[in-house]
Amino acid sequence: MTKSKPDGDNVVPAARQLASYIQRVENVEAEIKAHADDRKEIYSEAKGNGFDTRTIREIVKRRKLGREKTEERDALLAVYETNLDSILD
Amino acid sequence: MTKSKPDGDNVVPAARQLASYIQRVENVEAEIKAHADDRKEIYSEAKGNGFDTRTIREIVKRRKLGREKTEERDALLAVYETNLDSILD
Amino acid sequence: MTKSKPDGDNVVPAARQLASYIQRVENVEAEIKAHADDRKEIYSEAKGNGFDTRTIREIVKRRKLGREKTEERDALLAVYETNLDSILD
Amino acid sequence: MTKSKPDGDNVVPAARQLASYIQRVENVEAEIKAHADDRKEIYSEAKGNGFDTRTIREIVKRRKLGREKTEERDALLAVYETNLDSILD
DNA sequence: GGCTTGGAATAGCTTC
DNA sequence: GAAGCTATTCCAAGCC
């Protein structure tokens, strides 16, 4: 036997550490949820004022991606669609 | 004509309002991302200390669901699996 | 007691039915997986021939949505972005 | 100029190839959708006969994972939850 | 081999 | 309350 100390010295600290991780995760998830609720409210308010939330979401995405990449993707899409126009549909 | 005011009095305010929504969404998304990064770090730290993050995630989920519902689901799963044991595999 | 028949007359048939559902689901999921693998191969081949798979995926989505709705969405996005141009960034 | 041939000799074949990929993808996606609908119907039928579809889905997942891994995960979850019992809640 | 993108599934919200 | 849509989460695979 390599140790004479009771399990409590190993297991319990590990359990406490595990509990700590779980509570920390639960705390940050509570924050995330609060902000997600805020966002939902913003969209709800925008919708109430006649804006299309889908389009707003898309704009937010495009801005996050960056103007340059967004334009590249738009351009490539246009090329592909132009080429297809004479063939499909 | 019901209005003599130029469009600017309508369109521009709408544009400003749209811009405001977008910025508010971007602000809360920045907060969400910060907290999500925190959570990722907690899991990373837990993993570094030998914990299984998948299991921790599952526990977090089960706690969020509540003890009662969790136990109900466990019980039902056990029933179904017991019944299947004599038939499948 | 409302019934003198052994449980087997109720439980076992239910268990058999449950097993049947599970196997039917597993069968269709095998089919789905096979086709999903096919799709992956097609994209892989397209990529090997120099096509951008992200753009192809987007085109597939747009075609699924339908030309009309796609154009509506594009148009609304353009309006929103034009209005924002003078305000944000 | 390295080539005297008209663009058509390059662009159009590429366009045709692109169109071919798109149609092949659309074909396999139609198959996938058909099978996904089948699966939905199976679950719907199971539900109509009193089964809990969430539990059936879980069983299908567990069987896909394999008995061994499933039992390992269950065991680890039990260990973690036992250790937490004395600390959290 | 890890990390980041992409796909699938689940769950929640919205709409009818 | 059912059904579609959206968003998030989870998992796998491909890239670095």
Side-chain angles (χ1 to χ4, degrees), chain A residues 32 36 39 54 57:
Chain A
I32 289 174
R39 177 176 48 185
R54 169 196 302 279
R57 285 174 204 276

Side-chain angles (χ1 to χ4, degrees), chain B residues 80 83-84 86-88, chain C residues 8-26, chain D residues 41-52 56 59-60:
Chain B
Y80 279 29
N83 278 314
L84 285 170
S86 49
I87 302 176
L88 290 180
Chain C
D9 284 10
N10 292 90
V11 171
V12 171
R16 289 198 190 285
Q17 198 177 18
L18 174 60
S20 166
Y21 287 131
I22 286 169
Q23 289 196 318
R24 286 166 65 197
V25 168
E26 285 174 348
Chain D
E41 231 202 330
I42 296 168
Y43 278 119
S44 176
E45 188 187 332
K47 184 177 188 171
N49 282 326
F51 293 99
D52 182 79
I56 296 180
I59 288 174
V60 169

Side-chain angles (χ1 to χ4, degrees), chain C residues 12-80:
Chain C
V12 171
R16 289 198 190 285
Q17 198 177 18
L18 174 60
S20 166
Y21 287 131
I22 286 169
Q23 289 196 318
R24 286 166 65 197
V25 168
E26 285 174 348
N27 288 340
V28 303
E29 293 204 341
E31 301 268 1
I32 289 174
K33 189 187 183 323
H35 290 299
D37 288 346
D38 288 346
R39 177 177 48 185
K40 182 173 303 190
E41 235 195 285
I42 296 168
Y43 277 119
S44 175
E45 187 186 332
K47 184 177 191 170
N49 282 327
F51 293 99
D52 182 79
T53 57
R54 168 194 304 278
T55 305
I56 297 180
R57 287 175 204 275
E58 196 175 349
I59 289 174
V60 170
K61 258 200 236 170
R62 289 162 69 86
R63 286 170 52 86
K64 193 182 296 175
L65 182 63
R67 169 176 294 257
E68 195 161 349
K69 284 191 195 239
T70 299
E71 283 172 3
E72 275 172 30
R73 291 185 182 185
D74 286 350
L76 195 54
L77 177 63
V79 170
Y80 279 29

Side-chain angles (χ1 to χ4, degrees), chain D residues 55-71:
Chain D
T55 305
I56 296 180
R57 284 174 204 276
E58 195 175 350
I59 288 174
V60 169
K61 258 202 235 168
R62 289 163 70 88
R63 284 170 54 85
K64 194 183 296 175
L65 182 64
R67 168 177 295 259
E68 194 161 351
K69 284 190 195 244
T70 298
E71 283 172 0

